[in-house]
Amino acid sequence: MVISWLRRLPPTLIIGMMILAFYLTVAITARYWAPYTHNKIGVGIPFSKPSNDHYFGTDQLGRDVFSRVVLGADDVLILAISSTLVATVIGGLVGLLSGLVGGWFDQLLMRAFDALIGIPFLVLALLIIAAAGSELSGDTRLLIMVVAVVYAPRTARIARAVAIDLVTRDFVTVARARGESVFSIVWRELTPNAIGALLVEFGVRAGYAPIFIGSLSFLGFGVRPPTPEWGLMIAENRAAIFVVPMVVFAPAGALAGLVIGLNLFTDGLARWIGRSQGAASG
Amino acid sequence: MIIRLILSRMVLAVLTLLAVSVFIFWTAEILPGDIAARVLGREATEESKQAFRDRLRLDRPLHERYWLWLKGAVQGDFGVSLVDQSQERQVADSIKPRLKNTAILGVYAFALYVPVTIFLASISALYRDRLPDGVISLVNLVGLAMPEFVIGTVLIYGFAVKWSLLPVLSQIQRAETLKEILNSTTLPAVTLTIVMSVYSIRLLRDSLIEVLESEYIRMAILKGLPRYRVILFHALPNAAAPALNTMALNLAYLIGGVVVVEQVFAFQGLGSLLVQSVFVRDAPTIEAVALLVSTVYIAANLFADVMSIVLNPRLRTG
Amino acid sequence: MNPLLEVENLTVDFWNQNRWVNVVSHVSFKVMPGEAMGLVGESGCGKTTTAYTLLGYRRPNSRIDKNAEVCFDGQNILKLPGSALRRIRGKRIALVPQNPTTTLSPGMRVGRQINEVLAAHGVSGGERQERVLDLLAHVRLPDPLKTAQKYPHQLSGGQQQRVIIAMALACRPDLLVLDEPTTGLDVTTQAQILELLMHLRQEQGMAMVYVTHDLSVVATICDRVGVMYAGELVEEAPTGELFRNPRHPYTRGLIASVPSVRVPRQRRRILLRGYLQRDQLPPGCRFAPRCLFAHESCFSDKQNLVTAAENHQVACWRWSEVPQLATEIVEELPQPEIVSAPKGAPLLQVDDLNCAYEYHRASLFANPVAKLVVRDVSFDIRPSETFALVGESGSGKSTIARTIAGLLRPPSGKVTFDDQAIAGKVGARTQDLRRDIQLVLQNPDASLNPRQPVLQIIGRPLEIFFHLRGKELRNRVEQLLDDVRLDKTYVRRYPGELSGGERQRVAIARALAANPKLMLCDEILSALDVSVQASILELLRALQAERQIAYLFISHDLAVVRSLAHRVGVLYLGELCEYGQVEEVYSPPFHPYTHMLLSAVPEVNTESRLVPTVRSDAAEGTGSRKTACPFANRCPWKVGKICEDVPPPLQQVSETHALHCHIPLEELRQRETWSKSTLQTAKS
């Protein structure tokens, strides 16, 4: 039963789910089996090559790179998912409402979003970080907010387009003719139909979030050392790429794997939703 | 009809730009704390602080300062940098050489990006679900998963360290001959190209496939037209509008990417200037760079918008 | 004479969600030079796939069986290399596809699109331009020089289809493949295109393969017909023979399902039951699950085409018994009640109604426009009566339904329901009123929320209007499903798991749930296959008899309207030009527009070929210029300037029948040819 159901799912969805499950497992359990803690200095000679003691070698402070990579998984996942979630919920709700209500309310919101989108996103992120001041620099909450502010208008646009498409559908017309309230229409007719598109949107954004946050860390505005964030690790160890490439490639590979997993998962999800919707419409 | 449409798009773009400028000014000016104290240091006398505030008009209300700033910005005057008060460095002066460098880099990257993207997306669409498409999709997915700083680092590792073909760090500020300029910009430009292509090949491939699956393409084939005619005269013109939009959108990645890539290669451009200014919290410079960059981005989107209006016979002929 | 085209054993499969699904199975037929062969069948029967295969076209993700052959003039098209195929396509075999709007390249002038066909097949440059203009004139497009310079979107649907026909004829092909070329066009436009095709065929003598779902079109234009079901050819015969002596149970059912515009109310028909379920095809006869005469052996034994009469082949072993069996069944059918319009006080009264859509600004500088789409329309509907509004696209008929439903606020006019004037917008109406008037829309795919199960879809009105909950609600929903002849187990299903006809039944059940007095039915049959249409029509009649519901039935299909309505109003460009009891409207005197519509309807039952009376090219004009009589610009019997300047008077034909026209009734009676052609048919 379960297996036949799994077989009907797009293969990308299954592979994506497997990769994500792997990352989740590592994120949850790493603290119990990682050979060293993330900030223990001098467990080996700085920049030593991968060996049986240090699978991925050691960094410039002689920290075990393998431990730092696996221990970083939870931070990266939590940051990426929570920030995208905040953006999707806020952007999604505002967008749906904007598309439904229409009129000047919609116009005003859309112009505001246009302005936010009109600033290239990394520049916008830096603006917000600058405005927040040095006290907050490196704070997790600030990072979540930065990602949310950058993502939310883009998500809102998508949600609005979905809402505008949905309100012209005949089943909404019938509901209006029945005298249903706006709230009831949003809740009963629109939300179940919009959730798929928003889910895919969430996946796409979540897939880019680790890179985004990594870039900020690389520039020096992300999480604070010695947090084992992969982008930060790459920035710290970059000079060592000539000596021990592994200390850079390990966090880069971890980051890439996560992004690939998220992308495959989203791609599969979109196909799956498209398929069940395709079946629904004929 | 069409003129109206284009005009309304232009007005919209200007409005958006105005809103952007308000946002930029507002975020940069709410930096917490007494700017005077921060810039001049704790030992500064009350008079010198007051003089500083007067010069920067810090006592005036925010909207008035915004208006003065905007008036200056339109004329290319972005005020005085807060850093290094002794020299009274004009923001515009520090921006100019870097703007040139970044422009060279951007144009170079874009010139690489457009043909590469169109070529790979077309191959992918034409050989849909077959080997070339599969290979391109796979490489694409891997590229998608690599941030600019990783790609840049890998390129340095390969081309600069292993094979010693190009310099590790870009010395654009000292480059004079064309060869030197190419030498110092190729690696950053290639990095940017990869990042941008990765995001647009998939989009462009999908919109090409949509066109190729359309009934008018099927009709063109069943009319007995040669393959090149079908693609050149029926498929490409109709895929141009979505392609243009994709590329304009990618300018956002280009500009975002520039910030990171310049940092990777120590490239003396606008991006690295922005990062430095954020570090020292030099509001006038931040404002200027952000505004410039946003203007370019909005202008590019406007251009794509107008082009797709002009290209659409439905809108062109009313 | 050798056949021009020989299709042998054509089998096509599509790749769908990880498995191969058979779409066309062992289809074989021949087409002689100059012959017109029709392929008919309902949606999903594989007719379009067959048609495209004739041009050597294979959809991506599909496969054609190795043993299949499509021999054109001695060459197997399926085995030809690309270059040889290109030389045949467009030159010797040309295509006219279904949807002209999406078939023409949107960014290229239409003249050039014809020109490039000529160029591809070696016509020299100097000659080409002349040929293009020639072709455009040939398909009777006005002002070829100007038309050639236009982009597709600047032409109407009918004009676009003419351009495509011109393109297909460019190289004087031997075979023309037409895939539903008139579906989606208005009935008068369809008549003109059909007439053009018949004329061109006579003149150029090319063979045709005409694919359609519309039996009456096939009867009009084809010499021979093949009937397809679930990918198989089940019967093949000359047109006259097929309609006189249909042998296959499916063909019989299909023909019986088509209502005739000439017969007052259809009586005693055997309808096809169920619908095509591709995932439940038996190994034997694919039609067996729906067949009224099926034996057990039918489900296991494959049926091959056998000769029933000269040139008549049928894939059913009981073909000789079928006519007798069918007659027996018809004898047992109950006689429908005599139709008469109900008397009494009107339930709904519409007086001088004007309707408008308010458009949003097209751009920042444009002013919002309110465009009047319905002008001064008055009619009434009595309890348990069916009032039909007929008209072509753009006549404003749907707008009237939406206005009555309270979705649009009318700029002026009065709507009275149960002796009470009712508010414009639904929000201002009472709960009772909202319950009493229910709306059913054209496309059940769109009108049912794909994310709600049937229980919730039908249950919602019960919740709001009758405050039913839980077990009570469920029982009532099951009862409603039973009322629309659906199984109780459907409560848990989602719309995606239902067929088109079943979805429309659910939509009707949802309207019934409110226990309405008036149901507004907006084109509710037009998205459905004929066999499904017929069964829904039966359902509507039965429901009316059981529950005394009044219907406002909106349709473009004159035959359906005649078989269902008590009274009819004919709408043209938002104005009512004729109304009356159904039989009055369908008999002379006719309003010129009514006459034009009736004459344009192709028919199954005519032995002689239809000769459309709608010849004038002006008939396709959109009538954008406002004239006193809205029909003045298209009217074939236009009197003169008076039609443009003076509003036509209302002429009372009988107490219940009236029309707006300057022409005296007696003259209208003399001019009409439609009912006279009926007499001729009856005689022959």
Side-chain angles (χ1 to χ4, degrees), chain B residues 215-216 218 223 225 229 233-234 313-314 316-317, chain C residues 52 86 102-103 105-106 112-113 116 121 151 153:
Chain B
E215 288 174 40
Y216 56 85
R218 190 168 62 181
K223 267 154 68 168
L225 297 187
R229 264 202 87 88
F233 292 93
H234 293 268
R314 201 172 279 272
R316 189 166 62 219
T317 53
Chain C
Y52 277 94
R86 273 199 291 278
T102 50
T103 297
S105 219
R112 215 176 130 214
Q113 297 196 36
E116 65 175 1
H121 297 296
Y151 285 98
H153 72 271

PDB file of all heavy atoms in Angstrom, chain B residues 215-216 218 223 225 229 233-234 313-314 316-317, chain C residues 52 86 102-103 105-106 112-113 116 121 151 153:
ATOM      1  N   GLU B 215       0.382  25.167 -30.597  1.00  0.00           N
ATOM      2  CA  GLU B 215      -0.244  24.673 -31.817  1.00  0.00           C
ATOM      3  C   GLU B 215       0.305  25.352 -33.057  1.00  0.00           C
ATOM      4  O   GLU B 215       0.326  24.764 -34.127  1.00  0.00           O
ATOM      5  CB  GLU B 215      -1.758  24.861 -31.718  1.00  0.00           C
ATOM      6  CG  GLU B 215      -2.361  23.880 -30.723  1.00  0.00           C
ATOM      7  CD  GLU B 215      -3.834  24.122 -30.495  1.00  0.00           C
ATOM      8  OE1 GLU B 215      -4.538  24.423 -31.457  1.00  0.00           O
ATOM      9  OE2 GLU B 215      -4.262  24.008 -29.335  1.00  0.00           O
ATOM     10  N   TYR B 216       0.759  26.611 -32.912  1.00  0.00           N
ATOM     11  CA  TYR B 216       1.257  27.254 -34.131  1.00  0.00           C
ATOM     12  C   TYR B 216       2.589  26.682 -34.579  1.00  0.00           C
ATOM     13  O   TYR B 216       2.903  26.692 -35.766  1.00  0.00           O
ATOM     14  CB  TYR B 216       1.289  28.781 -34.016  1.00  0.00           C
ATOM     15  CG  TYR B 216       2.071  29.340 -32.855  1.00  0.00           C
ATOM     16  CD1 TYR B 216       3.441  29.527 -32.947  1.00  0.00           C
ATOM     17  CD2 TYR B 216       1.432  29.701 -31.680  1.00  0.00           C
ATOM     18  CE1 TYR B 216       4.150  30.056 -31.879  1.00  0.00           C
ATOM     19  CE2 TYR B 216       2.125  30.229 -30.627  1.00  0.00           C
ATOM     20  CZ  TYR B 216       3.491  30.407 -30.729  1.00  0.00           C
ATOM     21  OH  TYR B 216       4.196  30.925 -29.684  1.00  0.00           O
ATOM     22  N   ARG B 218       3.307  23.461 -34.148  1.00  0.00           N
ATOM     23  CA  ARG B 218       2.912  22.203 -34.772  1.00  0.00           C
ATOM     24  C   ARG B 218       2.413  22.478 -36.191  1.00  0.00           C
ATOM     25  O   ARG B 218       2.733  21.759 -37.125  1.00  0.00           O
ATOM     26  CB  ARG B 218       1.814  21.546 -33.938  1.00  0.00           C
ATOM     27  CG  ARG B 218       1.519  20.138 -34.396  1.00  0.00           C
ATOM     28  CD  ARG B 218       0.671  19.393 -33.412  1.00  0.00           C
ATOM     29  NE  ARG B 218      -0.626  20.034 -33.248  1.00  0.00           N
ATOM     30  CZ  ARG B 218      -1.560  19.591 -32.422  1.00  0.00           C
ATOM     31  NH1 ARG B 218      -1.327  18.539 -31.670  1.00  0.00           N
ATOM     32  NH2 ARG B 218      -2.710  20.199 -32.311  1.00  0.00           N
ATOM     33  N   LYS B 223       3.030  22.313 -42.004  1.00  0.00           N
ATOM     34  CA  LYS B 223       2.958  23.015 -43.282  1.00  0.00           C
ATOM     35  C   LYS B 223       4.082  22.557 -44.190  1.00  0.00           C
ATOM     36  O   LYS B 223       4.147  22.931 -45.350  1.00  0.00           O
ATOM     37  CB  LYS B 223       3.127  24.529 -43.052  1.00  0.00           C
ATOM     38  CG  LYS B 223       1.832  25.273 -42.878  1.00  0.00           C
ATOM     39  CD  LYS B 223       1.990  26.552 -42.059  1.00  0.00           C
ATOM     40  CE  LYS B 223       2.780  27.649 -42.697  1.00  0.00           C
ATOM     41  NZ  LYS B 223       2.648  28.940 -41.983  1.00  0.00           N
ATOM     42  N   LEU B 225       7.356  23.235 -43.458  1.00  0.00           N
ATOM     43  CA  LEU B 225       8.454  24.201 -43.429  1.00  0.00           C
ATOM     44  C   LEU B 225       9.743  23.506 -43.008  1.00  0.00           C
ATOM     45  O   LEU B 225       9.719  22.580 -42.206  1.00  0.00           O
ATOM     46  CB  LEU B 225       8.159  25.317 -42.428  1.00  0.00           C
ATOM     47  CG  LEU B 225       6.956  26.206 -42.705  1.00  0.00           C
ATOM     48  CD1 LEU B 225       6.932  27.344 -41.695  1.00  0.00           C
ATOM     49  CD2 LEU B 225       6.985  26.764 -44.099  1.00  0.00           C
ATOM     50  N   ARG B 229      13.450  27.243 -40.409  1.00  0.00           N
ATOM     51  CA  ARG B 229      12.421  28.285 -40.512  1.00  0.00           C
ATOM     52  C   ARG B 229      11.477  28.226 -39.323  1.00  0.00           C
ATOM     53  O   ARG B 229      11.064  29.249 -38.776  1.00  0.00           O
ATOM     54  CB  ARG B 229      11.605  28.104 -41.795  1.00  0.00           C
ATOM     55  CG  ARG B 229      12.079  28.946 -42.954  1.00  0.00           C
ATOM     56  CD  ARG B 229      10.978  29.134 -43.976  1.00  0.00           C
ATOM     57  NE  ARG B 229      10.135  30.276 -43.656  1.00  0.00           N
ATOM     58  CZ  ARG B 229      10.402  31.516 -44.064  1.00  0.00           C
ATOM     59  NH1 ARG B 229      11.457  31.766 -44.800  1.00  0.00           N
ATOM     60  NH2 ARG B 229       9.600  32.505 -43.746  1.00  0.00           N
ATOM     61  N   PHE B 233      11.778  31.611 -37.361  1.00  0.00           N
ATOM     62  CA  PHE B 233      10.714  32.576 -37.636  1.00  0.00           C
ATOM     63  C   PHE B 233       9.468  32.380 -36.775  1.00  0.00           C
ATOM     64  O   PHE B 233       8.661  33.272 -36.652  1.00  0.00           O
ATOM     65  CB  PHE B 233      10.325  32.534 -39.114  1.00  0.00           C
ATOM     66  CG  PHE B 233      11.408  33.039 -40.009  1.00  0.00           C
ATOM     67  CD1 PHE B 233      12.327  32.177 -40.565  1.00  0.00           C
ATOM     68  CD2 PHE B 233      11.513  34.394 -40.257  1.00  0.00           C
ATOM     69  CE1 PHE B 233      13.341  32.650 -41.378  1.00  0.00           C
ATOM     70  CE2 PHE B 233      12.524  34.879 -41.070  1.00  0.00           C
ATOM     71  CZ  PHE B 233      13.434  34.009 -41.627  1.00  0.00           C
ATOM     72  N   HIS B 234       9.287  31.167 -36.237  1.00  0.00           N
ATOM     73  CA  HIS B 234       8.072  30.945 -35.451  1.00  0.00           C
ATOM     74  C   HIS B 234       8.363  30.775 -33.960  1.00  0.00           C
ATOM     75  O   HIS B 234       7.640  31.317 -33.137  1.00  0.00           O
ATOM     76  CB  HIS B 234       7.309  29.724 -35.985  1.00  0.00           C
ATOM     77  CG  HIS B 234       6.752  29.955 -37.357  1.00  0.00           C
ATOM     78  ND1 HIS B 234       5.484  30.444 -37.562  1.00  0.00           N
ATOM     79  CD2 HIS B 234       7.291  29.788 -38.581  1.00  0.00           C
ATOM     80  CE1 HIS B 234       5.267  30.566 -38.862  1.00  0.00           C
ATOM     81  NE2 HIS B 234       6.340  30.177 -39.502  1.00  0.00           N
ATOM     82  N   PRO B 313       2.772  41.858 -31.138  1.00  0.00           N
ATOM     83  CA  PRO B 313       1.968  42.506 -32.177  1.00  0.00           C
ATOM     84  C   PRO B 313       0.559  42.850 -31.696  1.00  0.00           C
ATOM     85  O   PRO B 313      -0.064  43.778 -32.168  1.00  0.00           O
ATOM     86  CB  PRO B 313       1.915  41.465 -33.289  1.00  0.00           C
ATOM     87  CG  PRO B 313       2.263  40.171 -32.655  1.00  0.00           C
ATOM     88  CD  PRO B 313       3.143  40.495 -31.500  1.00  0.00           C
ATOM     89  N   ARG B 314       0.093  42.092 -30.707  1.00  0.00           N
ATOM     90  CA  ARG B 314      -1.229  42.349 -30.148  1.00  0.00           C
ATOM     91  C   ARG B 314      -1.288  43.745 -29.541  1.00  0.00           C
ATOM     92  O   ARG B 314      -2.280  44.445 -29.639  1.00  0.00           O
ATOM     93  CB  ARG B 314      -1.492  41.305 -29.072  1.00  0.00           C
ATOM     94  CG  ARG B 314      -2.903  41.072 -28.721  1.00  0.00           C
ATOM     95  CD  ARG B 314      -2.951  39.884 -27.791  1.00  0.00           C
ATOM     96  NE  ARG B 314      -2.879  38.652 -28.545  1.00  0.00           N
ATOM     97  CZ  ARG B 314      -3.945  38.038 -29.036  1.00  0.00           C
ATOM     98  NH1 ARG B 314      -5.134  38.547 -28.845  1.00  0.00           N
ATOM     99  NH2 ARG B 314      -3.836  36.922 -29.713  1.00  0.00           N
ATOM    100  N   ARG B 316       1.172  46.057 -30.175  1.00  0.00           N
ATOM    101  CA  ARG B 316       1.757  47.007 -31.100  1.00  0.00           C
ATOM    102  C   ARG B 316       0.689  47.571 -32.046  1.00  0.00           C
ATOM    103  O   ARG B 316       0.696  48.728 -32.390  1.00  0.00           O
ATOM    104  CB  ARG B 316       2.856  46.305 -31.909  1.00  0.00           C
ATOM    105  CG  ARG B 316       3.678  47.231 -32.761  1.00  0.00           C
ATOM    106  CD  ARG B 316       4.914  46.530 -33.247  1.00  0.00           C
ATOM    107  NE  ARG B 316       4.579  45.395 -34.083  1.00  0.00           N
ATOM    108  CZ  ARG B 316       5.223  44.240 -34.055  1.00  0.00           C
ATOM    109  NH1 ARG B 316       6.203  44.058 -33.218  1.00  0.00           N
ATOM    110  NH2 ARG B 316       4.878  43.274 -34.850  1.00  0.00           N
ATOM    111  N   THR B 317      -0.225  46.693 -32.467  1.00  0.00           N
ATOM    112  CA  THR B 317      -1.177  47.136 -33.483  1.00  0.00           C
ATOM    113  C   THR B 317      -2.561  47.405 -32.923  1.00  0.00           C
ATOM    114  O   THR B 317      -3.443  47.797 -33.648  1.00  0.00           O
ATOM    115  CB  THR B 317      -1.307  46.070 -34.584  1.00  0.00           C
ATOM    116  OG1 THR B 317      -1.614  44.836 -33.947  1.00  0.00           O
ATOM    117  CG2 THR B 317      -0.051  45.938 -35.377  1.00  0.00           C
TER     118      THR B 317
ATOM    119  N   TYR C  52      -3.833  13.265 -37.039  1.00  0.00           N
ATOM    120  CA  TYR C  52      -2.465  13.792 -37.093  1.00  0.00           C
ATOM    121  C   TYR C  52      -1.480  12.754 -37.610  1.00  0.00           C
ATOM    122  O   TYR C  52      -0.478  13.098 -38.230  1.00  0.00           O
ATOM    123  CB  TYR C  52      -2.049  14.325 -35.722  1.00  0.00           C
ATOM    124  CG  TYR C  52      -2.544  15.723 -35.493  1.00  0.00           C
ATOM    125  CD1 TYR C  52      -3.743  15.975 -34.846  1.00  0.00           C
ATOM    126  CD2 TYR C  52      -1.822  16.813 -35.974  1.00  0.00           C
ATOM    127  CE1 TYR C  52      -4.217  17.256 -34.675  1.00  0.00           C
ATOM    128  CE2 TYR C  52      -2.287  18.104 -35.801  1.00  0.00           C
ATOM    129  CZ  TYR C  52      -3.480  18.313 -35.153  1.00  0.00           C
ATOM    130  OH  TYR C  52      -3.934  19.605 -34.986  1.00  0.00           O
ATOM    131  N   ARG C  86       8.568  16.407 -45.241  1.00  0.00           N
ATOM    132  CA  ARG C  86       8.388  17.847 -45.431  1.00  0.00           C
ATOM    133  C   ARG C  86       7.872  18.155 -46.817  1.00  0.00           C
ATOM    134  O   ARG C  86       7.122  19.092 -47.020  1.00  0.00           O
ATOM    135  CB  ARG C  86       9.705  18.577 -45.187  1.00  0.00           C
ATOM    136  CG  ARG C  86       9.924  18.935 -43.744  1.00  0.00           C
ATOM    137  CD  ARG C  86      10.953  20.031 -43.599  1.00  0.00           C
ATOM    138  NE  ARG C  86      12.294  19.584 -43.939  1.00  0.00           N
ATOM    139  CZ  ARG C  86      13.082  18.922 -43.085  1.00  0.00           C
ATOM    140  NH1 ARG C  86      12.654  18.651 -41.883  1.00  0.00           N
ATOM    141  NH2 ARG C  86      14.293  18.556 -43.458  1.00  0.00           N
ATOM    142  N   THR C 102      -5.134  29.714 -31.882  1.00  0.00           N
ATOM    143  CA  THR C 102      -3.830  29.295 -31.387  1.00  0.00           C
ATOM    144  C   THR C 102      -2.987  28.642 -32.479  1.00  0.00           C
ATOM    145  O   THR C 102      -1.848  28.291 -32.247  1.00  0.00           O
ATOM    146  CB  THR C 102      -3.979  28.286 -30.227  1.00  0.00           C
ATOM    147  OG1 THR C 102      -4.879  27.253 -30.645  1.00  0.00           O
ATOM    148  CG2 THR C 102      -4.533  28.947 -29.004  1.00  0.00           C
ATOM    149  N   THR C 103      -3.557  28.497 -33.656  1.00  0.00           N
ATOM    150  CA  THR C 103      -2.840  27.812 -34.721  1.00  0.00           C
ATOM    151  C   THR C 103      -2.014  28.764 -35.570  1.00  0.00           C
ATOM    152  O   THR C 103      -0.974  28.393 -36.094  1.00  0.00           O
ATOM    153  CB  THR C 103      -3.838  27.058 -35.612  1.00  0.00           C
ATOM    154  OG1 THR C 103      -4.471  26.075 -34.826  1.00  0.00           O
ATOM    155  CG2 THR C 103      -3.151  26.397 -36.767  1.00  0.00           C
ATOM    156  N   SER C 105       0.559  31.678 -36.195  1.00  0.00           N
ATOM    157  CA  SER C 105       1.695  32.230 -35.467  1.00  0.00           C
ATOM    158  C   SER C 105       1.375  33.672 -35.079  1.00  0.00           C
ATOM    159  O   SER C 105       1.114  34.493 -35.956  1.00  0.00           O
ATOM    160  CB  SER C 105       2.919  32.188 -36.379  1.00  0.00           C
ATOM    161  OG  SER C 105       4.036  31.842 -35.652  1.00  0.00           O
ATOM    162  N   PRO C 106       1.379  33.997 -33.772  1.00  0.00           N
ATOM    163  CA  PRO C 106       0.858  35.297 -33.361  1.00  0.00           C
ATOM    164  C   PRO C 106       1.680  36.491 -33.832  1.00  0.00           C
ATOM    165  O   PRO C 106       1.140  37.584 -33.957  1.00  0.00           O
ATOM    166  CB  PRO C 106       0.860  35.211 -31.833  1.00  0.00           C
ATOM    167  CG  PRO C 106       1.801  34.117 -31.507  1.00  0.00           C
ATOM    168  CD  PRO C 106       1.761  33.170 -32.635  1.00  0.00           C
ATOM    169  N   ARG C 112       2.122  36.533 -44.914  1.00  0.00           N
ATOM    170  CA  ARG C 112       3.435  35.913 -44.919  1.00  0.00           C
ATOM    171  C   ARG C 112       3.356  34.437 -44.494  1.00  0.00           C
ATOM    172  O   ARG C 112       4.145  33.610 -44.935  1.00  0.00           O
ATOM    173  CB  ARG C 112       4.362  36.674 -43.968  1.00  0.00           C
ATOM    174  CG  ARG C 112       5.766  36.683 -44.502  1.00  0.00           C
ATOM    175  CD  ARG C 112       6.688  37.495 -43.663  1.00  0.00           C
ATOM    176  NE  ARG C 112       7.870  36.697 -43.367  1.00  0.00           N
ATOM    177  CZ  ARG C 112       8.544  36.777 -42.234  1.00  0.00           C
ATOM    178  NH1 ARG C 112       8.158  37.609 -41.295  1.00  0.00           N
ATOM    179  NH2 ARG C 112       9.593  36.029 -42.049  1.00  0.00           N
ATOM    180  N   GLN C 113       2.402  34.146 -43.632  1.00  0.00           N
ATOM    181  CA  GLN C 113       2.270  32.761 -43.204  1.00  0.00           C
ATOM    182  C   GLN C 113       1.825  31.868 -44.353  1.00  0.00           C
ATOM    183  O   GLN C 113       2.175  30.689 -44.413  1.00  0.00           O
ATOM    184  CB  GLN C 113       1.280  32.653 -42.034  1.00  0.00           C
ATOM    185  CG  GLN C 113       1.773  33.413 -40.814  1.00  0.00           C
ATOM    186  CD  GLN C 113       1.040  33.022 -39.539  1.00  0.00           C
ATOM    187  OE1 GLN C 113       0.688  31.885 -39.325  1.00  0.00           O
ATOM    188  NE2 GLN C 113       0.799  34.006 -38.683  1.00  0.00           N
ATOM    189  N   GLU C 116       4.936  31.601 -46.883  1.00  0.00           N
ATOM    190  CA  GLU C 116       6.048  30.704 -46.566  1.00  0.00           C
ATOM    191  C   GLU C 116       5.732  29.260 -46.905  1.00  0.00           C
ATOM    192  O   GLU C 116       6.639  28.464 -47.126  1.00  0.00           O
ATOM    193  CB  GLU C 116       6.502  30.870 -45.111  1.00  0.00           C
ATOM    194  CG  GLU C 116       5.486  30.474 -44.085  1.00  0.00           C
ATOM    195  CD  GLU C 116       6.043  30.540 -42.672  1.00  0.00           C
ATOM    196  OE1 GLU C 116       7.207  30.919 -42.507  1.00  0.00           O
ATOM    197  OE2 GLU C 116       5.301  30.214 -41.743  1.00  0.00           O
ATOM    198  N   HIS C 121       7.554  25.032 -50.647  1.00  0.00           N
ATOM    199  CA  HIS C 121       7.287  24.003 -51.643  1.00  0.00           C
ATOM    200  C   HIS C 121       7.623  24.470 -53.051  1.00  0.00           C
ATOM    201  O   HIS C 121       6.999  24.053 -54.032  1.00  0.00           O
ATOM    202  CB  HIS C 121       5.847  23.524 -51.529  1.00  0.00           C
ATOM    203  CG  HIS C 121       5.586  22.877 -50.199  1.00  0.00           C
ATOM    204  ND1 HIS C 121       6.209  21.714 -49.808  1.00  0.00           N
ATOM    205  CD2 HIS C 121       4.813  23.251 -49.147  1.00  0.00           C
ATOM    206  CE1 HIS C 121       5.820  21.402 -48.583  1.00  0.00           C
ATOM    207  NE2 HIS C 121       4.987  22.322 -48.163  1.00  0.00           N
ATOM    208  N   TYR C 151      -2.257  40.994 -38.651  1.00  0.00           N
ATOM    209  CA  TYR C 151      -1.815  39.973 -37.718  1.00  0.00           C
ATOM    210  C   TYR C 151      -3.031  39.131 -37.315  1.00  0.00           C
ATOM    211  O   TYR C 151      -4.151  39.627 -37.347  1.00  0.00           O
ATOM    212  CB  TYR C 151      -1.193  40.610 -36.477  1.00  0.00           C
ATOM    213  CG  TYR C 151       0.181  41.158 -36.738  1.00  0.00           C
ATOM    214  CD1 TYR C 151       0.371  42.502 -36.999  1.00  0.00           C
ATOM    215  CD2 TYR C 151       1.289  40.310 -36.754  1.00  0.00           C
ATOM    216  CE1 TYR C 151       1.642  43.002 -37.263  1.00  0.00           C
ATOM    217  CE2 TYR C 151       2.550  40.801 -37.006  1.00  0.00           C
ATOM    218  CZ  TYR C 151       2.723  42.148 -37.264  1.00  0.00           C
ATOM    219  OH  TYR C 151       3.968  42.627 -37.514  1.00  0.00           O
ATOM    220  N   HIS C 153      -4.447  38.293 -34.604  1.00  0.00           N
ATOM    221  CA  HIS C 153      -5.392  38.765 -33.588  1.00  0.00           C
ATOM    222  C   HIS C 153      -6.319  39.856 -34.111  1.00  0.00           C
ATOM    223  O   HIS C 153      -7.290  40.207 -33.470  1.00  0.00           O
ATOM    224  CB  HIS C 153      -4.640  39.265 -32.354  1.00  0.00           C
ATOM    225  CG  HIS C 153      -3.942  40.566 -32.570  1.00  0.00           C
ATOM    226  ND1 HIS C 153      -2.658  40.648 -33.054  1.00  0.00           N
ATOM    227  CD2 HIS C 153      -4.357  41.839 -32.402  1.00  0.00           C
ATOM    228  CE1 HIS C 153      -2.323  41.914 -33.156  1.00  0.00           C
ATOM    229  NE2 HIS C 153      -3.316  42.649 -32.774  1.00  0.00           N
TER     230      HIS C 153
END
